[in-house]
Amino acid sequence: MAATTMPLTSSTGLGGSSNSSRKSSEFENETLPCRTAPNLCGCVACRGGSNLGSKDTALLSLAAFNLRDRDITSKSDPMAVVYAKKIDGKLDELGRTEVVLNSLNPTWIEKVTVAFQFEIMQPLVFHVYDIDTKYYNVPVKTLKLEDQDFLGEATCVLSEIVTKQSRSLTLNLHGKSGHTGLRNLGVLTIHAEELVASRSAVEMILRCSYLDNKDLFSKSDPFLRVSRIVESGGSIPICKTEVVNNNLNPTWKPLCLSMQQFGSKDNPLIIECFDFNSSGNHVLIGKLQKSVADLEKLHKGRSGANLILTSHHGHEKVLKGQLFVDQFCEKEQYSFLDYISSGFELNFMVAIDFTASNGNPRNPESLHYIDPSGRLNSYQKAIIDVGEVIQFYDSDKRFPAWGFGGRTSDGTISHCFNLNGSAGGFEVEGVEGIMTAYASALHNVALAGPTLFGQVINTAAQTAGQSLSYNSNKYFVLLIITDGVLTDLQETKDALVKASDLPLSILIVGVGGADFGQMEVLDADNGQRLESSTGRVATHDIVQFVSMRDVHGGRISVVQALLEELPGQFLTYMRRRDIKPRPLHVAQTSGFNSNHEPVLID
């Protein structure tokens, strides 16, 4: 039986229920493989023989064994957190794994990246937590660790791992601050791998036929897990497909494997087919061992490979069920930085809620109150926090800025008016320009209502759509800041579905104490894509929502939680349309300006 690993997008939280054996389709929309999977290097006998350079990057794979069981009706749902320990003793979080349901022996798929620096000691601290099931679908990056059960801690120095011939180190887990106690808290194994910079990837459509049925009252719900065999003979999981419900002849959505995941086309992979159970006790239907080169041969020969099931006595049984490769293609997979460094830009836009539910701006209790002492209100804070990050990706720093839900100077209620009060232009200069226009609008626009997003989204989409005719290297980011409940939910869905074909992402920040349940629907982090009133489904998720109330005081800032999905949305758009980064020769240094800065020519 395998443990349930949660979907590995940065927004993925804990899914399923640990006290239920009911079938679930929580993975049905999870089509992407793990984003940070490994490429294994050869063994090294000593640090001098390592392929890791003094400024290279290592990927840490984690597995634990014999963890404490903190749940009553089921097993623990563990997640690991990796920290770098600073000189002053403070811990700097490097990353978190996904959550594995119902397992005391988890092998996590999500890797943690560490910059290897030969010239300094790099103490690492590993914490393992049992995640409470009430945090279903909460992104792991936003989980408050103090609300979870602590399972154990381990410490080491990075060089201790990379100098091992196996690149693996097993540590005993103990209580915080080194307290071992009398109880055995289990062990943690860390495996380090070199991160090889390669854009090569293969995309495959995998299919199985005549699978054995493992269910009594329905058909199996199969999914595939792909693992890479390491030098020691063990394996490390690198990706999995979505679950196909009630089907013994499933065809899964396209699976993309990067060179960093499979290493080379001749490296052996283990492909396991499981019948999904929400309890975490997945039933193995069958497995086989093939390299990427073998899978390519299956595709070319239009032939299948039989699955094998090993009995408790070690005997291998060849099953009737077969694996087929219906599609196989090699491609280059570019990173977010590949695009940004070649001249692609993020164009920032902002829309601010001027509905009456914010309260009279002259009242200190109002969400729009401008404090004479300089203390920022929630709207100002959101503008600065997000704008200061994105502005560096926008060359001219001229930002469209709108308001909605306010009564303008002509006495009409507008659901998309220019924040600067100009009848002709909606752009302002930089983040300071947004702040100035916002403060001015509070004196010239009366708060009204209702809360409608549709017109603002359509206006932003029109701007993004117009850019396609003259410039394909722009991607637009609309920040909507609101305090209220939507009145036009379906109209907003329609606008978002239509905009999902455009180079546009929408960030929504909720301020105040309203119920923002509708925003979670728009965010679509549960895997259910938005559907318009005509039945059209969004091309992909373009919305990210964060409530300032929920992340206030947490370790993860509003801007981090809000922007974490943006690079993925950007890449999804570019890859779907086969838009590649501009060639390096398109932007070349031609000289220096008067400030001795490089000047680029297009």
Side-chain angles (χ1 to χ4, degrees), residues 69-241:
D69 193 357
R70 299 296 297 268
D71 293 347
I72 298 176
T73 59
S74 62
K75 297 175 183 177
S76 293
D77 306 321
M79 176 188 77
V81 185
V82 182
Y83 301 90
K85 189 173 184 179
K86 299 300 184 181
I87 297 176
D88 59 4
K90 293 182 179 179
L91 299 182
D92 182 21
E93 184 174 322
L94 299 177
R96 303 181 181 188
T97 67
E98 79 279 17
V99 178
V100 176
L101 293 184
N102 291 303
S103 178
L104 303 182
N105 302 290
T107 298
W108 291 283
I109 294 179
E110 188 80 349
K111 319 302 178 192
V112 177
T113 303
V114 183
F116 176 74
Q117 294 179 269
F118 171 78
E119 65 274 17
I120 63 172
M121 287 188 61
Q122 295 176 269
L124 300 175
V125 178
F126 305 85
H127 287 176
V128 181
Y129 292 89
D130 176 22
I131 305 302
D132 196 309
T133 53
K134 71 180 181 182
Y135 294 98
Y136 178 91
N137 272 339
V138 174
V140 294
K141 289 184 179 180
T142 63
L143 288 173
K144 293 184 178 180
L145 299 178
E146 60 268 26
D147 295 338
Q148 317 305 325
D149 289 329
F150 182 76
L151 295 181
E153 175 186 276
T155 60
C156 71
V157 176
L158 180 58
S159 58
E160 289 182 87
I161 308 173
V162 300
T163 55
K164 297 286 186 182
Q165 289 191 14
S166 63
R167 293 271 184 92
S168 295
L169 182 67
T170 298
L171 303 168
N172 289 320
L173 290 168
H174 51 73
K176 285 187 178 179
S177 303
H179 298 300
T180 56
L182 298 177
R183 297 194 61 177
N184 177 14
L185 302 185
V187 298
L188 181 72
T189 296
I190 309 105
H191 183 80
E193 303 153 308
E194 183 184 11
L195 179 61
V196 176
S198 173
R199 298 186 181 93
S200 298
V202 297
E203 184 175 277
M204 299 175 288
I205 294 180
L206 302 179
R207 169 175 61 89
C208 278
S209 65
Y210 301 109
L211 293 177
D212 287 349
N213 192 10
K214 300 295 183 180
D215 293 345
L216 293 176
F217 304 107
S218 62
K219 297 176 182 177
S220 295
D221 303 327
F223 71 95
L224 298 178
R225 184 176 71 181
V226 182
S227 301
R228 181 176 175 186
I229 297 177
V230 298
E231 294 87 344
S232 61
S235 62
I236 295 176
I238 57 175
C239 69
K240 60 180 178 291
T241 67

Side-chain angles (χ1 to χ4, degrees), residues 262-329:
F262 61 79
S264 80
K265 293 178 71 172
D266 295 322
N267 284 343
L269 302 174
I270 296 177
I271 303 174
E272 299 166 293
C273 184
F274 290 96
D275 176 26
F276 175 80
N277 284 289
S278 61
S279 66
N281 294 324
H282 308 314
V283 179
L284 180 65
I285 298 175
K287 66 179 181 179
L288 50 78
Q289 180 174 312
K290 295 288 181 183
S291 66
V292 171
D294 294 332
L295 296 173
E296 184 178 18
K297 290 178 183 176
L298 288 179
H299 171 68
K300 290 181 177 179
R302 297 187 177 183
S303 57
N306 290 85
L307 299 176
I308 294 172
L309 191 62
T310 304
S311 69
H312 296 295
H313 303 290
H315 300 298
E316 289 188 347
K317 178 183 178 182
V318 178
L319 305 176
K320 184 179 180 181
Q322 288 187 312
L323 175 76
F324 294 85
V325 182
D326 286 350
Q327 177 181 304
F328 184 100
C329 63

Side-chain angles (χ1 to χ4, degrees), residues 336-347 393-395 471-475 570 574 580-584 586-587 600 602:
F336 178 70
L337 287 180
D338 286 331
Y339 288 92
I340 296 302
S341 62
S342 71
F344 282 72
E345 295 190 1
L346 301 181
N347 287 198
Y393 300 92
D394 191 325
S395 59
N471 198 335
S472 63
N473 72 333
K474 290 185 180 294
Y475 190 89
F570 174 94
M574 297 299 168
K580 296 179 174 59
R582 300 161 72 187
L584 292 178
V586 173
L600 302 181
D602 290 335

Side-chain angles (χ1 to χ4, degrees), residues 363-537:
N363 187 333
E365 301 300 318
S366 170
L367 293 170
H368 279 310
Y369 179 68
I370 304 294
D371 194 329
S373 70
R375 182 179 179 182
L376 302 178
N377 66 33
S378 295
Y379 283 88
Q380 292 172 309
K381 184 170 177 54
I383 293 168
I384 289 179
D385 284 353
V386 177
E388 286 188 343
V389 172
I390 297 182
Q391 66 176 340
F392 296 103
Y393 300 92
D394 191 325
S395 59
D396 65 6
K397 294 181 173 56
R398 292 183 58 83
F399 306 136
W402 302 289
F404 60 92
R407 190 181 303 275
T408 56
S409 56
D410 62 3
T412 62
I413 296 177
S414 173
H415 299 293
C416 185
F417 58 87
N418 295 341
L419 198 62
N420 60 9
S422 170
F426 47 68
E427 291 185 335
V428 298
E429 295 284 348
V431 176
E432 280 302 317
I434 301 175
M435 296 288 281
T436 301
Y438 165 60
S440 176
L442 289 175
H443 293 288
N444 301 316
V445 178
L447 305 189
T451 304
L452 307 177
F453 282 3
Q455 194 171 338
V456 163
I457 293 173
N458 285 330
T459 302
Q462 182 179 7
T463 302
Q466 289 172 346
S467 73
L468 295 177
S469 61
Y470 63 88
N471 198 335
S472 63
N473 72 333
K474 290 185 180 294
Y475 190 89
F476 294 82
V477 181
L478 171 63
L479 171 66
I480 299 176
I481 315 172
T482 183
D483 84 311
V485 177
L486 280 177
T487 308
D488 65 338
L489 180 59
Q490 188 56 57
E491 289 81 0
T492 298
K493 287 183 179 180
D494 291 345
L496 290 172
V497 170
K498 185 178 179 181
S500 68
D501 286 329
L502 297 170
L504 175 66
S505 285
I506 297 174
L507 313 175
I508 304 175
V509 173
V511 298
D515 178 5
F516 293 114
Q518 290 175 321
M519 305 303 174
E520 300 290 353
V521 174
L522 300 180
D523 196 335
D525 271 349
N526 62 358
Q528 298 294 322
R529 293 181 184 174
L530 293 178
E531 185 174 329
S532 71
S533 54
T534 61
R536 182 186 171 193
V537 178

